[in-house]
């Protein structure tokens, strides 16, 4: 800071000396008799300090950071929270008046700091210097970033384009194509054909029809046939009902229990870990693997080829329900926030910097790089140019906030880093229909005290219950009834009431 003050003094003295020198002329006028026009001096930009979550790389030497400096003119010094006890360290830094200009926060961290008075209100700064930011953030985003009528953060939203569902499907049940070919099977499209598919594999091959791991919890691929997706809340008669209390949840449980009891699922499903489930799949001991994603392909294909050089992967992504349509959740949310601490001495510059990063052209050039060098566009889709593209692999940690749909379309370049990944991603999304998709906004409610208090423990309770339900051999209905009663008792009822009050207040800002 002392160096900065000295620099300003030198510049001021130089400007004053120049003015006095100009005054030494005969009349202070040009030959044409007009007063000279003052030459504007360049704005002195401070070095901004940003506190951000733990990273496995040095942000101050990252190519994306250097690129952002070139495009914005701001030099930024990054500081990392520790990997462990990050929340505790963050609160200590804020309480001690650390000289940070921007803090990058999780939803829970933002909620806590906004509530304890550590953050500066941003409304005036946004009105003056936040044009790009204001254009990028949705109404729900601003609601989530506000308290007491004031805005305390800038949300970075996710969930894709509400008007274009392309790209939402990223995986499902991975299937060995050599098994499909050998048995003359097609990828199943509904629940009945999925059951028949698994049964045929067991009878004809005597291998595990489907392996995976129970720790992943609710299976949204199978759930899609029951009108359930990754969302944990569903609107019924204007009210939000938790997934565990939806009528079709019992039907889902019965189907999973049936698959397991008939040997159509790996007997080790409840205890499998990711690596041994993958090993069963690639070695030919299992015909399918759940969950599998397009980004698993570079690792799984070579392993499949060791067992059978002709083996490749296909995916069961969704299954149609009784109405002929699968159910697919589009989870809209504020993923992170940026805020300006009250103690910042450079609040105006912090806002100018954040707004520059949100400029559409600057965002593209810092998020993806230069067209023709780092990426290319084919058929209105972004494709990476390797290896240059990987220079900016960490760019999302530093770039500004933009419209969630636009960012998602650019992110898809990462889904096309190999021909096999690109082909798989295109195939699974080429048939997606808008009327399959159901937006879910409840992740904007993660700052509710009841959600913060109960969500993690209730999510774990559901995961533990799903394992028990899978292997239950006596009374599944009683097991389910006991679980729901305990779920409600352990905070589920309080959280449901809070979510519904929030929903009634915010629904008008949601787009469906």
């Amino acid at each position: 800071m002392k160096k900065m003050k000295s620099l300003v003094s030198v510049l001021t003295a130089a400007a004053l000396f120049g003015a006095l020198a100009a005054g030494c002329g005969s009349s202070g006028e040009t030959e044409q008799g007009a007063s000279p026009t003052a030459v504007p001096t360049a704005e002195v930009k401070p070095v901004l300090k940003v506190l951000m979550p733990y990273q496995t790389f040095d942000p101050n030497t990252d190519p994306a950071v250097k690129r952002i400096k070139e495009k914005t003119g701001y030099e930024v010094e990054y500081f990392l929270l520790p990997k462990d006890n990050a929340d505790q360290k963050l609160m200590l830094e804020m309480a001690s008046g650390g000289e940070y200009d921007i803090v990058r926060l999780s939803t829970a961290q933002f909620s806590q700091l906004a509530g304890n008075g550590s953050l500066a209100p941003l409304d005036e700064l946004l009105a003056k210097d936040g044009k790009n930011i204001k254009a990028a953030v949705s109404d729900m985003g601003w609601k989530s970033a506000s308290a007491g009528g004031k805005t305390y953060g800038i949300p970075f939203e996710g969930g894709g384009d509400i008007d274009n569902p392309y790209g939402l499907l990223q995986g499902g049940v991975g299937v060995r194509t050599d098994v499909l070919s050998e048995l003359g099977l097609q990828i199943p499209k509904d629940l009945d054909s999925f059951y028949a598919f698994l049964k045929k594999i067991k009878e004809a091959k005597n291998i595990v029809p489907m392996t995976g791991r129970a720790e992943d919890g609710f299976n949204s691929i199978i759930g899609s046939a029951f009108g359930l997706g990754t969302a944990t809340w569903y609107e019924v008669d204007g009210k939000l009902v938790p997934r565990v209390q939806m009528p079709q949840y019992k039907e889902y449980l019965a189907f999973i229990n049936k698959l397991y009891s008939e040997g159509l699922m790996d007997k080790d499903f409840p205890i499998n870990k990711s690596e041994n489930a993958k090993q069963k799949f690639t070695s030919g001991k299992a015909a399918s693997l759940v969950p599998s994603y397009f980004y698993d392909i570079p690792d799984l294909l070579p392993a499949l080829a060791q067992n059978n050089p002709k083996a490749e992967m296909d995916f069961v992504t969704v299954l149609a329900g009784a109405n002929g349509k699968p159910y697919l959740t589009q989870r809209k949310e504020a993923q992170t926030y940026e805020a300006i601490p009250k103690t910042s001495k450079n609040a105006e510059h912090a806002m100018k910097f954040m707004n520059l990063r949100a400029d559409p052209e600057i965002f593209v050039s810092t998020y993806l790089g230069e067209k023709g060098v780092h990426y290319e566009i084919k058929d209105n889709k972004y494709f990476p140019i390797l290896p240059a593209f990987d220079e900016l692999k960490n760019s999302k940690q530093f770039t500004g906030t933009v419209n969630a749909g636009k960012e998602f379309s650019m992110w898809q370049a990462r889904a096309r880093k190999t021909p096999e990944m690109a082909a798989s991603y295109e195939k699974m999304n080429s048939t997606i229909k808008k009327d399959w998709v159901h937006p879910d906004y409840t992740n904007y409610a993660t700052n509710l005290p009841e959600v913060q208090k109960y969500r993690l423990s209730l999510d774990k309770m559901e995961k533990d219950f799903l394992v028990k339900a899978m292997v239950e051999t006596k009374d599944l209905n009683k097991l389910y009834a006991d679980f729901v009663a305990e779920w409600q008792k352990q905070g589920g009822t309080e959280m449901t009431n809070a979510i519904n009050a929030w929903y009634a207040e915010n629904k008008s800002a949601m787009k469906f």
Side-chain angles (χ1 to χ4, degrees):
M1 185 58 69
K2 290 181 179 179
K3 290 183 179 180
M4 185 58 67
K5 288 181 178 178
S6 299
L7 176 58
V8 173
S9 299
V10 170
L11 291 172
T12 304
L16 179 60
F17 177 80
L20 291 173
C24 292
S26 57
S27 63
E29 296 182 352
T30 64
E31 291 183 3
Q32 288 75 22
S35 298
T37 301
V39 178
T41 57
E43 180 182 37
V44 178
K45 296 179 178 179
V47 176
L48 298 176
K49 296 183 178 181
V50 175
L51 181 64
M52 65 186 297
Y54 175 80
Q55 307 293 331
T56 58
F57 58 91
D58 181 1
N60 292 298
T61 60
D62 192 85
V65 169
K66 295 179 180 179
R67 194 170 187 82
I68 289 171
K69 178 183 176 182
E70 293 172 2
K71 298 295 181 180
T72 66
Y74 278 96
E75 183 175 347
V76 180
E77 188 175 0
Y78 290 90
F79 299 84
L80 298 178
L81 289 169
K83 183 178 181 180
D84 300 317
N85 300 315
D87 291 353
Q88 182 180 1
K89 175 64 173 177
L90 173 65
M91 298 308 153
L92 287 173
E93 287 287 336
M94 294 296 101
S96 64
E99 293 187 358
Y100 300 108
D101 301 303
I102 300 171
V103 286
R104 198 167 182 115
L105 306 165
S106 69
T107 54
Q109 291 169 342
F110 171 73
S111 178
Q112 190 168 355
L113 291 180
N116 68 18
S118 296
L119 305 179
L122 303 181
D123 301 274
E124 292 184 7
L125 294 171
L126 283 165
K128 182 182 177 184
D129 294 309
K131 180 180 178 181
N132 295 326
I133 296 170
K134 291 172 70 176
V137 177
S138 72
D139 290 344
M140 275 305 302
W142 288 127
K143 276 181 170 287
S144 74
S146 302
K150 294 183 178 180
T151 304
Y152 289 97
I154 296 170
F156 285 63
E157 298 179 282
D161 187 347
I162 203 74
D163 296 314
N164 180 13
Y166 179 90
L168 292 181
L169 291 174
Q170 299 179 18
V173 180
V175 180
R176 294 181 61 111
T177 58
D178 55 341
V179 174
L180 293 178
S181 298
E182 180 183 344
L183 301 181
L185 294 172
Q186 301 294 319
I187 291 293
K189 303 296 184 184
D190 57 37
L191 204 62
D192 290 340
S193 62
F194 182 67
Y195 174 77
F197 168 84
L198 297 178
K199 199 166 183 64
K200 176 70 174 179
I201 292 171
K202 179 175 174 58
E203 293 171 349
K205 294 283 292 179
N206 197 30
I207 60 175
V208 175
M210 181 171 68
T211 190
R213 56 184 190 181
E215 66 184 54
D216 288 304
F218 184 81
N219 186 318
S220 62
I221 299 95
I222 294 175
S224 66
F226 294 95
L228 300 172
T230 56
T232 51
W233 301 91
Y234 298 79
E235 185 180 295
V236 179
D237 298 329
K239 298 285 187 179
L240 290 182
V241 177
R243 181 175 62 200
V244 298
Q245 290 184 259
M246 292 290 285
Q248 56 265 49
Y249 192 78
K250 287 180 66 175
E251 299 173 24
Y252 164 85
L253 295 175
F255 185 76
I256 293 293
N257 182 270
K258 178 182 179 180
L259 294 184
Y260 187 80
S261 65
E262 294 183 5
L264 303 182
M265 295 173 67
D266 188 353
K267 63 180 177 59
D268 295 328
F269 212 101
I271 60 172
N272 273 342
K273 298 300 181 184
S274 178
E275 287 310 309
N276 64 295
K278 288 180 179 179
Q279 194 276 331
K280 290 180 181 182
F281 176 67
T282 57
S283 65
K285 295 178 181 178
S288 65
L289 171 69
V290 62
S292 298
Y293 302 96
F294 73 87
Y295 48 77
D296 292 323
I297 289 175
D299 293 328
L300 292 180
L301 281 186
L304 284 170
Q306 289 182 5
N307 174 259
N308 183 348
K310 296 182 179 180
E312 296 182 356
M313 280 185 71
D314 206 342
F315 291 87
V316 180
T317 53
V318 288
L319 297 169
N323 65 353
K325 300 175 184 178
Y327 189 103
L328 182 62
T329 299
Q330 184 174 17
R331 305 189 74 171
K332 302 293 291 181
E333 60 188 342
Q335 297 173 329
T336 57
Y337 294 84
E338 282 189 343
I340 299 176
K342 268 189 175 179
T343 53
S344 170
K345 296 179 175 62
N346 301 301
E348 287 193 12
H349 280 286
M351 179 58 69
K352 289 179 180 179
F353 170 68
M354 290 189 288
N355 190 63
L356 280 170
R357 288 181 314 161
D359 175 87
E361 291 187 9
I362 291 179
F363 179 85
V364 173
S365 66
T366 53
Y367 186 80
L368 288 179
E370 297 296 333
K371 184 178 179 181
V373 177
H374 298 90
Y375 73 94
E376 58 185 338
I377 300 175
K378 296 185 289 187
D379 298 325
N380 294 318
K381 296 173 183 176
Y382 292 89
F383 286 79
I385 298 176
L386 298 169
F389 182 80
D390 281 339
E391 294 174 6
L392 301 177
K393 62 184 178 181
N394 301 317
S395 63
K396 185 175 173 62
Q397 307 302 321
F398 309 105
T399 48
T401 187
V402 295
N403 174 273
K406 292 180 179 178
E407 181 191 356
F408 186 54
S409 68
M410 297 179 205
W411 172 87
Q412 291 170 19
R414 290 160 170 77
R416 303 180 179 111
K417 292 183 70 172
T418 71
E420 294 82 7
M421 286 171 63
S424 178
Y425 190 71
E426 173 63 25
K427 182 178 180 180
M428 66 177 67
N429 283 285
S430 61
T431 59
I432 191 171
K433 303 290 193 301
K434 194 174 187 304
D435 61 357
W436 298 357
V437 179
H438 302 265
D440 169 43
Y441 288 88
T442 55
N443 271 6
Y444 281 103
T446 53
N447 59 349
L448 294 178
E450 294 84 356
V451 174
Q452 292 187 14
K453 183 177 181 180
Y454 298 118
R455 181 178 180 177
L456 290 178
S457 61
L458 292 177
D459 284 352
K460 184 178 185 305
M461 185 184 295
E462 183 189 8
K463 285 186 177 182
D464 292 344
F465 163 72
L466 287 170
V467 176
K468 295 177 184 178
M470 180 188 300
V471 302
E472 176 65 22
T473 58
K474 295 181 180 179
D475 193 341
L476 184 60
N477 287 332
K478 183 180 185 305
L479 183 72
Y480 171 70
D482 291 345
F483 160 71
V484 171
E486 187 65 17
W487 187 91
Q488 292 173 320
K489 181 180 177 180
Q490 295 298 326
T493 298
E494 286 183 57
M495 189 167 70
T496 300
N497 292 336
I499 282 281
N500 272 289
W502 167 88
Y503 188 62
E505 181 182 348
N506 292 279
K507 186 178 179 180
S508 61
M510 302 174 189
K511 184 177 180 182
F512 293 96

